[in-house]
């Protein structure tokens, strides 16, 4: 079974600074997808960024980028120029490219932005 | 376009009762998934429905069940409630046809079991 581990329960960063959230996963599959989701205090989960395992190029979405290291099974999220609206729980998630279309989530990292 | 709508948003039940939660997906989405979120266990997959058929099921007891209607709306039911069923239940929808279709989540139904 696949597992996702987020080793940082809480992180904080000064506004306008850069922060990196860590995520590691365990799988025996070679074809899969990885995601970062954001859950603000209002609780609605929002997709931040996604990465297909077969793509070597790291995904980027505006201020958000990932460092995908397939061999190390690592998938970190970098948030540049942090804004107050970035404050939320961030979840790393794994989904197999075959079989069950379910997300396996990490335990989450609570990100605080200090003004 | 309206997002994923879950009702009720909050509810309180007592042990032994049953509960039904509803989810209306985004228009055009045929796949609906359910997740349970608790502080201890985190986010766990319950099941996924596509075109009224259950496609996948997570590792939950038979007290947890669901269904999907022809209009793609979905319900999940928990019978014989236990204290440990207190959680935020999240519904998510996607078109269901793409390989990596984005999941859109609702705001959840917060269930408290006393």
């Amino acid at each position: 079974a696949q597992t996702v581990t987020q080793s940082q329960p809480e992180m904080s960063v000064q506004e306008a600074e850069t922060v990196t959230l860590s995520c590691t996963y365990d799988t025996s599959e070679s074809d899969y997808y990885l995601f970062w989701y954001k859950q603000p205090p209002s609780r609605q989960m929002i997709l931040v960024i996604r990465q297909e395992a077969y793509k070597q190029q790291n995904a980027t979405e505006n201020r958000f980028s990932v460092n995908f290291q397939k061999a190390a099974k690592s998938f970190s999220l970098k948030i540049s120029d942090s804004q107050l609206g970035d404050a939320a729980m961030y979840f790393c998630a794994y989904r197999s490219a075959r079989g069950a279309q379910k997300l396996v989530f990490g335990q989450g990292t609570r990100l605080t932005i200090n003004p | 376009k309206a997002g994923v709508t879950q009702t009720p948003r909050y509810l309180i039940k007592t042990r032994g009762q049953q509960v039904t939660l509803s989810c209306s997906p985004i228009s055009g989405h045929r796949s609906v998934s359910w997740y349970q979120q608790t502080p201890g266990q985190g986010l766990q997959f319950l099941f996924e429905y596509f075109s009224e058929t259950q496609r996948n099921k997570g590792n939950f007891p038979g007290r947890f069940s669901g269904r999907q209607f022809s209009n793609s709306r979905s319900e999940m039911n928990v019978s014989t409630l236990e204290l440990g069923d207190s959680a935020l239940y999240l519904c998510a929808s996607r078109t269901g046809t793409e390989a990596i279709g984005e999941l859109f989540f609702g705001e959840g139904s917060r269930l408290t079991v006393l």
Side-chain angles (χ1 to χ4, degrees):
Chain A
Q2 296 81 23
T3 58
V4 177
T5 302
Q6 293 178 248
S7 59
Q8 306 152 315
E10 296 185 354
M11 291 280 286
S12 64
V13 64
Q14 291 295 125
E15 194 175 2
E17 297 294 307
T18 295
V19 64
T20 298
L21 308 184
S22 301
C23 173
T24 58
Y25 58 95
D26 188 31
T27 183
S28 59
E29 299 176 329
S30 60
D31 198 11
Y32 50 86
Y33 307 108
L34 296 166
F35 307 85
W36 278 99
Y37 279 89
K38 170 185 177 181
Q39 188 178 40
S42 67
R43 301 185 312 221
Q44 187 169 30
M45 199 91 70
I46 303 167
L47 177 65
V48 175
I49 198 166
R50 69 185 181 197
Q51 174 81 43
E52 289 96 313
Y54 64 85
K55 289 186 177 179
Q56 292 186 333
Q57 187 172 5
N58 289 324
T60 62
E61 287 287 342
N62 301 312
R63 299 182 294 108
F64 298 86
S65 62
V66 298
N67 183 2
F68 173 48
Q69 301 291 326
K70 191 172 184 179
K73 295 180 183 175
S74 170
F75 183 62
S76 61
L77 174 69
K78 185 172 81 172
I79 306 174
S80 304
D81 185 26
S82 298
Q83 301 176 0
L84 294 178
D86 294 333
M89 282 291 290
Y90 285 82
F91 292 95
C92 178
Y94 170 103
R95 205 194 89 189
S96 173
R98 294 174 178 77
Q101 301 286 304
K102 69 175 186 179
L103 291 174
V104 178
F105 286 92
Q107 288 294 99
T109 297
R110 181 176 302 282
L111 178 64
T112 302
I113 312 295
N114 300 313
Chain B
K1 186 184 259 191
V4 178
T5 304
Q6 292 189 244
T7 56
R9 292 287 308 280
Y10 303 90
L11 64 166
I12 300 174
K13 294 286 186 178
T14 57
R15 280 180 298 174
Q17 288 187 311
Q18 74 163 8
V19 66
T20 299
L21 308 178
S22 179
C23 172
S24 293
I26 291 173
S27 178
H29 287 193
R30 295 161 61 189
S31 167
V32 173
S33 300
W34 290 89
Y35 289 82
Q36 181 196 63
Q37 185 175 17
T38 61
Q41 299 299 315
L43 282 148
Q44 294 185 289
F45 172 78
L46 280 156
F47 25 64
E48 180 192 14
Y49 287 87
F50 178 80
S51 293
E52 302 179 68
T53 301
Q54 187 181 88
R55 283 211 293 203
N56 298 292
K57 190 177 191 304
N59 190 25
F60 278 81
R63 300 185 297 106
F64 292 80
S65 63
R67 59 178 176 170
Q68 186 180 32
F69 302 95
S70 58
N71 62 357
S72 293
R73 189 177 70 85
S74 177
E75 290 181 345
M76 67 162 284
N77 183 276
V78 187
S79 62
T80 319
L81 284 167
E82 301 177 358
L83 296 180
D85 297 332
S86 295
L88 180 66
Y89 290 89
L90 294 173
C91 169
S93 76
R94 61 189 181 102
T95 60
T97 53
E98 303 101 340
I100 188 172
E102 180 178 345
L103 268 180
F104 293 85
F105 284 84
E107 293 189 342
S109 293
R110 170 75 65 186
L111 170 66
T112 301
V113 182
L114 302 177

